[in-house]
Amino acid sequence: MSTLNHVDDYPEIPVSLASTRTILKTGAWRSVRPVLAERSAPCSAACPAGVGIPAYLQDIKEGRPKEAFAALTSRNPFPRITGRVCPHFCEQACNLEEKTGRDSVSIRSIERWLGDETAHLPHPVPSRETGKQVAVVGSGPAGLAAAFYLRRSGHEVTVFDRRDLPGGMLRYGIPDYRLPTVIVDEELARLEAMGIEFRNGVALGSDLTLDDLEATYAAVFVATGAGRERTVGIEGESLLEPGLAFLEATGRGEVALPGDRCAVIGGGNTAMDVARVLRRLGAEVTVLYRRTVTEMPAIREEYEHAVADGVTFKWLTLPRAVKKQDGKLIVTVEDMWLGEPDESGRRRPMPTGVSRELRFHGVFSATGETADLTPFPDRLMSSDGWLSLAENGATTDPLVYAGGDLATGPATVIEAIVAGRRAARAIDHQLGLDRLWPEDNPIEVVGSAEVNPTYVPRHDRTADHVAEWAGPFAEESVTMTDAEVLYEIERCLSCGHCNACGTCFVFCPDGVITWEDGPVIDYEFCKGCGICVAECPGHAMILVNEREVSHV
Amino acid sequence: MRWAVPEAEFMDPGTLGCQGCGGTLSMRLVLKELGDDAIAVLPACCWSIIDGPWPVHALNIPVFHTAFETAAVVATGIKAAKQIKGKDTTVVAWAGDGGTFDIGLQALSGAAERNEDIVFICYDNEAYMNTGIQRSSATPLGTWTTTTPDERPEPRPKKDIMGIMAAHRIPYAATATVAYPDDLSRKVRTALAAKGGMRFLHLLSACPPGWKMAADDAIEAMRRAVQTNVFPLYEVRDGREYKITHWPEAEVDVADYFSLQGRFAPLLADDALLNLVRNNVRERWWFLVERHQQSLRKASSPDGAHLH
């Protein structure tokens, strides 16, 4: 038997010294390859402005509010405003809610926080002036958005408004407890700092005509809104106070409560605002609506706020006549029932023949608004008596564009902003400056079946807080804190957008993903198991068949 | 990055694990915590192949390939040699379920009984996958393998290896899976910190071909094993102190785990068998919960510090 005292006494054994990297190119096993694919999140797709939400949430999370603000304002210049008043179509489309039943990410509250956080940042001043002058008529959200983008493109922009102060519906339509005037003023100051000129107290039609404008300006965008109150069409109409005019008066600080008991006729957003203002001023308020809560056109959240304020609703109640008696208004109402759906898809109110009398100190009408089209010459009108408009706001006159509530009837602030932006783009196109605008490529939306909610934390949704009562017009809610915003963003799946969460890196069995602030896949070794794609919370990666990948 | 998993890699790509291999990922994540001052001992198992054929290998630490039954004892010998040389190198025996539950059990029991200063890690894919999916004593009741076909699926419950290891009163034993990477990382760190004695980690590791499922379902399968309490995550100190480290949010039925894998077809086709398994899982879970609570009571009692 040999003795093993020295290393030379041991038998030779084979030793592997080289790395598998040198010869085992396991990428050859693959039939599908994972690739990062930026796709649209459902929230972004549902946003009329198409704001890239997961991307700006990531900017916030990683401490880049300026970049988040720049990304957001490329689609919507006023996050401070929409962060307060938008009906958040985005949140209704959230995959987290769809997939897990948990509450959606409170995107609007995050947007509001970002708006406040970046309120001090100036808007970009154009790097080059085009030397062209563009007029915007109307300074509501559509006009202001158009002015912002036209100025950003380098035009000299003048905004005309018939009232003594700009802001339109933002100032005079939306009550201060929802959108404080000071915020509108600060946003207007930022626009002025960009070089936008505001000319107030100039009404289109009476003080100047479209022809006057066309003589001076390279293009005109008209967004004068839908400010003409629709009549209720009942006996004693003149005894009704128009809701919009009331909101404007309270916006000017001219508060006049007709008495303790008030009624509001209508079920739209104006009706909700009027009812809430009256209620917050101390009146007992009853909303009279001819259908039920299900058919009511008001945004659900506005209705809930009205209920929370203590507004009473009388459903299936149609006012037939108003008369004055002993200083009070007597409203004769008829009870209704719901019949077959009408052309709007909502069930039609049908008379029952049963009438009652209700007594109030003041009755307000809010049954809808239409646009005042008198400033438009006949040549711009279509045969049905309406303004002839293309989707981008172009009229039949190549110098004149229109949009906002003027074109759509009463709609949301974000839809007006989109109309303004779209018109600005169309005007730039007309002026040969379309190179300033990136192409909007329609991209596929990430469906709820694709996402993997395992790794987002399960804590409850955090949103704006209810403010302590500080008067009828003090802002009713409080912006989230920095910590709350970061906590809330953690809940976002980041659909279709890699937010560098690292899940693919952690779960790659073969270690073929290296981390350079984000995943980098080594296709020489990736076996195509698909785990990175399956585990990616927002499905920001997809599997592509190797046959479809071009081999150069 | 959302994860607490270290970025450093100690496993090169080009390993020969199948697509979606849970054993490969287990090694990759464990190595991130072990670091490079470690030596691995591999008995016959999938990893004998995965690490690569001569003259190449994937791990950035020395690897000893050894005979099936000897992982624990070879690791013991290497550790002794390192100690003589004054080195503090971590020695890990890395074995499959065959090299742990069956063929490696004698050496493992011996090393555990002597409380050797090694880390024994079992990556458990619940059959002899490398040789063609033959059943082992880690194969669960009612499972298909090539030696327990659909008509006569595995007739015995899975061997309770954690109970066996706890009975040796070793300083630290824990279950973990790569589907819960932060939990896995923490347990590897805890095992390293408990040096001086025997440490045992039991890692459930999905095998897409052997479990008859798609490769990209591997993580989901391991996650469901935990969510359904089929594979609870817990740790045992000194063979007595039990601590459940992950509490499932809600009771998820075991069928959610089984239905993802073709190997459980016999179980899903036999309600009586499925109920038996369901009850076994529940019973085992409540046993653990009781041990967990018992340990909490002991820790809070005045003489709780004197467990030995």
Side-chain angles (χ1 to χ4, degrees), chain A residues 15-21 24 26 29 454-455 458 490 501-503 505-511 527 529-530 534-535, chain B residues 1-3 9 11-15 17 19-20 24-25 28 32 51 54-58 178 181 216 219 223 249:
Chain A
V15 177
S16 297
L17 293 173
S19 165
T20 42
R21 235 181 235 290
L24 293 176
T26 48
W29 301 7
T454 309
Y455 308 110
R458 271 148 221 237
E490 285 299 318
C501 72
T503 303
F505 169 77
V506 168
F507 288 108
C508 174
D510 299 301
K527 297 170 187 167
C529 70
E535 299 306 313
Chain B
M1 225 193 291
R2 172 175 279 157
W3 299 90
E9 295 284 357
M11 184 187 94
D12 287 345
T15 55
Q19 288 158 330
T24 309
L25 181 53
R28 180 176 160 249
K32 281 170 176 283
D51 193 39
W54 184 87
V56 297
H57 86 125
V178 289
D216 62 353
I219 307 295
R223 183 159 47 234
E249 279 168 74

Side-chain angles (χ1 to χ4, degrees), chain A residues 49 55 97 111 116 120 154 175 256 309 325 341 364 417 483 509 513 522:
Chain A
E97 188 162 341
E111 180 188 5
D116 288 357
H120 63 284
D309 277 355
Q325 195 181 316
F364 295 79
I417 288 171
I513 296 178
D522 188 344

Side-chain angles (χ1 to χ4, degrees), chain B residues 39-205:
Chain B
I39 290 179
V41 177
L42 303 182
C45 63
C46 288
W47 255 99
S48 314
I49 305 301
I50 296 170
D51 193 39
W54 184 87
V56 297
H57 86 125
L59 302 190
N60 299 170
I61 60 170
V63 173
F64 270 73
H65 290 276
T66 180
F68 220 143
E69 68 280 21
T70 64
V73 72
V74 170
T76 300
I78 292 173
K79 183 66 191 180
K82 282 287 179 186
Q83 278 169 340
I84 289 166
K85 291 216 159 203
K87 298 272 171 60
D88 198 25
T89 306
T90 308
V91 181
V92 177
W94 180 270
D97 44 301
T100 305
F101 289 64
D102 297 347
I103 302 170
L105 188 62
Q106 179 279 132
L108 171 60
S109 176
E113 181 270 322
R114 297 188 304 273
N115 199 22
E116 296 290 352
D117 185 9
I118 61 171
V119 184
F120 194 106
I121 303 181
C122 170
Y123 67 105
D124 176 10
N125 48 32
E126 303 192 320
Y128 289 83
M129 297 307 185
N130 189 34
T131 49
I133 323 175
Q134 294 87 2
R135 59 87 60 184
S136 75
S137 61
T139 304
L141 176 62
T143 309
W144 165 94
T145 66
T146 53
T147 47
T148 51
D150 281 353
E151 315 81 72
R152 276 184 297 134
E154 171 60 35
R156 297 286 300 152
K158 183 184 177 90
K159 187 189 275 182
D160 179 11
I161 194 72
M162 283 293 286
I164 292 171
M165 296 317 291
H168 285 80
R169 300 278 163 90
I170 58 172
Y172 187 71
T175 64
T177 162
V178 289
Y180 293 83
D182 290 340
D183 178 80
L184 170 66
S185 287
R186 191 189 60 75
K187 282 170 178 164
V188 177
R189 288 197 299 272
T190 309
L192 290 177
K195 70 179 177 192
M198 176 83 173
R199 291 141 288 164
F200 180 80
L201 295 179
H202 179 200
L203 312 182
L204 182 70
S205 299

Side-chain angles (χ1 to χ4, degrees), chain A residues 162-175:
Chain A
R162 69 180 170 88
R163 293 191 182 88
D164 49 351
L165 285 173
M169 285 299 281
L170 299 174
R171 182 187 297 278
Y172 296 112
I174 303 175

Side-chain angles (χ1 to χ4, degrees), chain B residues 183 186-187 229 232-236 241-248 284-293:
Chain B
D183 178 80
R186 191 189 60 75
K187 282 170 178 164
N229 291 334
L233 299 181
Y234 64 103
E235 54 194 13
V236 188
E241 247 183 276
Y242 278 69
K243 187 182 175 195
I244 293 171
T245 60
H246 177 89
W247 296 80
R284 172 82 192 144
W285 171 250
W286 284 109
F287 166 81
L288 286 174
V289 171
E290 271 168 32
R291 299 305 298 266
H292 176 96
Q293 288 168 338

